[in-house]
């Protein structure tokens, strides 16, 4: 720029990220700098600001700008049954295995992490209902849909989509699972009750546990290698033995033969190896020495309390902390 103010160093970007974390509790430090820098600069250009420092001033004086920035960084693109061949593989090859390792009446626990506006979570509900039959799905399937983006979650909770969004669905499936509601379609309310949405940051918050299937697609790729490794540790913890992990097509080639078997590299589907030790979950910033008695006790106790609470409750539950973050 003519005024020379666009000469920015990485330090300035890091400073802005620190500000976002302190001001809004949103920690983008684990995100890949290339994508992040590009997106923030795009937002700065739209806001007609040329330096990170000036942009920080803007954020301090204009609270709405945070929303606009988060919308630009958190890319919410999604669709119903995104990558149909991967979903066909999941339904034909994986779901039968999930069912085979559970008793006839046992709950099926599924997590869509980074669910955006909910299409992925509802696709999972439809897939299980088609496989099990609606009655059995209503009785057994529990799907958690989580994201950091509150705005996307609001759409997910509403479960109300324009016809265009539902075009990838066969017409008979659309009519079976959605009801016309004005110009839009709402997901059928009985099955909707089996899908629980909540805010959850995959880089920081306690993972949902005892999962049969964990779906995290087109979300990991925004993180740097270190953050991805930590997230995969948590996912390993979250899965039951022999539980399945379904990643996005463009995502990392999970190369962790000690802990995961490859079910299909092409479709990015992996399976937690039986007997592989779970990596203990640790809240960010808390250091527990690996293998120490404290570590073993903390993990065992947390799990025990969680399992007792969840198993003892007559209704599906979600626990959030004072900041509205899903902790259980
Ligand atoms: C491209 S969308 C993917 C949506 C869906 N999983 C799919 O594949 O169609 C990426 C989603 O990841 C969410 N996301 C980004 N960072 C996240 C984080 N730290 N924790 C949870 N979700 C996150 C974004 O808000 C966005 O909704």
């Amino acid at each position: 720029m003519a005024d020379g103010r666009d000469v920015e160093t990485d330090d300035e970007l890091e400073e802005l990220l620190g500000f976002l974390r302190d001001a809004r509790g949103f920690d983008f430090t684990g995100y890949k700098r290339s994508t992040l820098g590009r997106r923030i600069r795009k937002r700065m250009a739209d806001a007609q600001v040329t330096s990170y420092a000036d942009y920080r001033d803007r954020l301090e004086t204009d609270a709405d700008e945070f929303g606009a920035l988060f919308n630009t960084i958190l890319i919410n693109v999604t669709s119903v049954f995104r990558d149909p061949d991967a979903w066909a593989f999941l339904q034909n090859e994986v779901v039968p295995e999930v069912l085979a390792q559970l008793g006839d009446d046992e709950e099926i626990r599924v997590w869509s992490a980074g669910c955006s506006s909910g299409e992925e979570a509802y696709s999972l509900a439809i897939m299980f209902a088609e496989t099990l039959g609606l009655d059995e799905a209503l009785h057994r399937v529990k799907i958690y849909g989580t994201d950091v983006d509150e705005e996307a979650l609001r759409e997910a909770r509403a479960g109300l989509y324009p016809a265009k969004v539902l075009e990838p669905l066969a017409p008979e499936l659309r009519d079976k699972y959605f009801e016309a509601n004005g110009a839009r379609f709402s997901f059928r309310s009985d099955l909707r009750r089996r899908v629980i949405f909540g805010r959850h940051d995959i880089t920081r918050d306690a993972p949902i546990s005892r999962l049969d299937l964990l779906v995290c697609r087109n979300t990991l790729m925004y993180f740097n290698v270190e953050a991805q490794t930590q997230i995969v540790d948590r996912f390993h913890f979250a899965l039951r033995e022999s539980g399945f992990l379904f990643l996005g097509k463009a995502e990392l080639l999970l190369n962790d033969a000690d802990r995961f078997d490859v079910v299909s590299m092409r479709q990015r589907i992996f399976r937690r190896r039986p007997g592989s030790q779970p990596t203990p979950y640790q809240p960010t910033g808390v250091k527990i020495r690996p293998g120490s008695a404290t570590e073993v006790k903390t993990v065992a106790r947390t799990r025990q309390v969680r399992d007792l609470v969840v198993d003892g409750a007559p209704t599906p539950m979600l626990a959030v902390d004072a900041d509205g973050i899903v902790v259980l």
Side-chain angles (χ1 to χ4, degrees):
M1 302 292 290
D3 63 4
R5 291 195 307 155
D6 64 336
V7 185
E8 289 142 1
T9 64
D10 284 346
D11 289 350
E12 285 170 333
L13 176 57
E14 297 309 311
E15 216 169 283
L16 181 67
L17 298 183
F19 168 70
L20 292 174
R21 188 189 51 220
D22 299 341
R24 284 298 163 111
F26 207 120
D27 192 355
F28 288 114
T29 48
Y31 288 60
K32 280 183 194 152
R33 289 298 180 277
S34 49
T35 327
L36 197 56
R38 204 168 48 243
R39 301 221 149 245
I40 295 177
R41 283 194 299 278
K42 177 182 180 308
R43 183 59 218 152
M44 284 164 52
D46 290 348
Q48 300 182 325
V49 178
T50 51
S51 78
Y52 287 124
D54 286 352
Y55 189 55
R56 181 196 158 133
D57 289 346
R58 170 70 65 86
L59 286 164
E60 275 179 303
T61 52
D62 178 2
D64 290 347
E65 184 55 33
F66 278 105
L69 176 64
F70 292 162
N71 277 341
T72 311
I73 295 178
L74 301 170
I75 305 134
N76 293 136
V77 177
T78 187
S79 55
V80 181
F81 291 105
R82 186 175 188 176
D83 306 318
D85 54 331
W87 281 88
F89 186 93
L90 189 74
Q91 178 155 19
N92 297 329
E93 309 293 329
V94 174
V95 171
E97 298 255 352
V98 168
L99 300 179
Q101 62 197 30
L102 291 171
D104 284 351
D105 244 8
E106 248 185 297
E107 185 176 80
I108 303 159
R109 293 169 61 78
V110 184
W111 180 15
S112 162
C115 67
S116 190
S117 40
E119 286 87 332
E120 185 175 273
Y122 293 123
S123 301
L124 286 162
I126 293 172
M127 182 186 74
F128 277 102
E130 285 299 294
T131 307
L132 294 166
L134 188 59
D135 286 346
E136 195 173 337
L138 290 176
H139 167 65
R140 290 183 63 192
V141 178
K142 194 182 268 180
I143 297 166
Y144 299 91
T146 64
D147 204 284
V148 275
D149 188 334
E150 292 283 8
E151 222 174 284
L153 283 172
R154 263 197 296 280
E155 286 177 42
R157 288 190 187 102
L160 198 58
Y161 301 102
K164 182 113 195 84
V165 164
L166 302 182
E167 268 171 14
L169 273 184
E172 59 274 21
L173 287 184
R174 192 190 76 179
D175 294 346
K176 185 168 169 190
Y177 292 100
F178 290 86
E179 286 156 24
N181 187 332
R184 295 189 286 176
F185 292 84
S186 58
F187 193 71
R188 59 181 298 159
S189 55
D190 49 2
L191 197 52
R192 165 72 187 81
R193 282 194 283 278
R194 306 303 299 175
V195 189
I196 302 156
F197 290 103
R199 186 179 189 278
H200 179 284
D201 182 338
I202 51 171
T203 65
R204 293 158 63 119
D205 299 327
I208 291 166
S209 64
R210 299 180 296 131
L211 296 167
D212 299 293
L213 172 64
L214 198 172
V215 180
C216 184
R217 312 195 70 224
N218 308 298
T219 300
L220 282 180
M221 59 194 186
Y222 298 118
F223 297 97
N224 62 33
V225 171
E226 194 191 349
Q228 288 196 12
T229 308
Q230 282 172 6
I231 296 167
V232 170
D233 279 352
R234 287 165 182 210
F235 286 176
H236 181 260
F237 173 89
L239 286 165
R240 278 182 207 269
E241 281 203 353
S242 302
F244 291 88
L245 177 62
F246 179 29
L247 303 178
K249 278 220 159 153
E251 237 124 27
L252 79 165
L253 295 166
L254 192 59
N255 187 8
D256 189 346
D258 286 344
R259 297 191 301 167
F260 290 97
D261 288 323
V262 176
V263 177
S264 166
M265 192 54 95
R266 187 178 153 77
Q267 310 298 358
R268 298 291 194 281
I269 299 180
F270 306 89
R271 186 175 199 174
R272 187 184 142 178
R273 284 182 71 113
S276 55
Q277 285 307 307
T279 309
Y281 163 70
Q282 308 185 15
T284 311
V286 177
K287 292 274 172 275
I288 298 174
R289 208 160 27 83
S292 68
T294 316
E295 178 203 54
V296 174
K297 262 198 237 149
T298 308
V299 173
R301 185 148 181 79
T302 309
R303 278 209 142 171
Q304 194 184 17
V305 171
R306 173 186 302 172
D307 291 352
L308 284 171
V309 171
V310 172
D311 289 342
T315 47
M317 289 195 314
L318 195 72
V320 291
D321 67 13
D323 295 319
I325 291 172
V326 179
V327 290
L328 177 65

